Amino acid sequence: MDIFQAITGRRSVRAFKPDPISKEILIKILESAQWAPSAGNMQARDFIVVEDHDTKVKLAEASWGQYFIAEAPVVVVVCANLERSAQRYGERGRTLYAILDAAAAVENLLLAAYALGLATCWIGAFDDDKVKRILSLPDHVKPIAIIPVGYPGRQPRPTPRIPIDRITYRDRYGNLYFR
Ligand SMILES: Cc1cc2nc3c(=O)[nH]c(=O)nc-3n(C[C@H](O)[C@H](O)[C@H](O)COP(=O)(O)O)c2cc1C
């Protein structure tokens, strides 16, 4: 699939078929995530692959009852490894770069999954402490996104975007680029 087709065709899907995902495909999307850029190539991110049904339900509960998460055959939790980036970048690594490293991986994962015919949804609304407990995450590993991955149960419509001519400026903020 062409990259622009992937970027514009991907949707947040909130209904999944129970069909399993092959290990080969799972590895491909995780490797795609890991090819994302990262500050100083520190790759300050870790992935937890959740296949256990009870754990998926607990994650859905920790996400304020977004139970469609538990419908997906696989849920990938992308975490920021704060100390891996802090080793080189100190406080900026801990509070910013590690989060960005994880977020870049999330976007790659979503696009790769879509290109392989899979559906995903980036879940960011959850109770961090509950997720940390459910997954036994150490203090320096912060959950960033819970991503249900599976074959789509429904195909949502595209969501609107603010036109770029309203949010792009020339040389300084306030001076619209497209005038
Ligand atoms: C940081 C972040 C947090 C999000 N959290 C949730 C969430 O908790 N639940 C959900 O259903 N969608 C969540 N989304 C998905 C957005 O609602 C979705 O990306 C947005 O509405 C645009 O739709 P699209 O992804 O289909 O283009 C989140 C997206 C991002 C980037």
Side-chain angles (χ1 to χ4, degrees), residues 10-12 14 66 68 121-126 157 159 161:
R10 182 210 56 81
R11 305 274 169 271
S12 291
R14 298 178 179 88
Q66 300 190 68
F68 64 86
C121 186
W122 180 329
I123 304 293
F126 53 79
R157 288 168 195 269
T159 48
R161 294 294 183 268

Side-chain angles (χ1 to χ4, degrees), residues 19-120:
D19 312 22
I21 301 172
S22 75
K23 270 277 168 329
E24 194 190 350
I25 285 187
L26 179 63
I27 289 168
K28 200 158 179 172
I29 64 173
L30 290 168
E31 285 181 346
S32 301
Q34 180 56 350
W35 273 107
S38 62
N41 200 26
M42 294 304 279
Q43 304 159 56
R45 52 204 170 212
D46 294 320
F47 307 100
I48 317 282
V49 175
V50 179
E51 293 172 327
D52 175 66
H53 181 70
D54 290 350
T55 308
K56 286 190 274 184
V57 171
K58 283 183 193 157
L59 289 175
E61 282 164 0
S63 307
W64 318 110
Q66 300 190 68
Y67 285 104
F68 64 86
I69 293 169
E71 284 178 14
V74 172
V75 176
V76 179
V77 182
V78 180
C79 303
N81 189 315
L82 309 183
E83 287 316 304
R84 200 177 297 148
S85 197
Q87 276 167 24
R88 182 176 297 183
Y89 295 113
E91 204 49 23
R92 194 165 174 82
R94 188 175 293 112
T95 58
L96 179 63
Y97 292 163
I99 314 292
L100 300 179
D101 290 2
V106 172
E107 181 65 6
N108 268 21
L109 193 155
L110 303 187
L111 292 175
Y114 178 70
L116 293 166
L118 289 162
T120 56

Side-chain angles (χ1 to χ4, degrees), residues 115-134:
L116 293 166
L118 289 162
T120 56
C121 186
W122 180 329
I123 304 293
F126 53 79
D127 181 318
D128 286 27
D129 291 334
K130 284 188 184 159
V131 171
K132 287 186 82 145
R133 264 199 305 279
I134 293 163

Side-chain angles (χ1 to χ4, degrees), residues 4-11 114 155:
F4 297 103
Q5 268 177 284
I7 288 170
T8 55
R10 182 210 56 81
R11 305 274 169 271
Y114 178 70
Q155 207 50 62

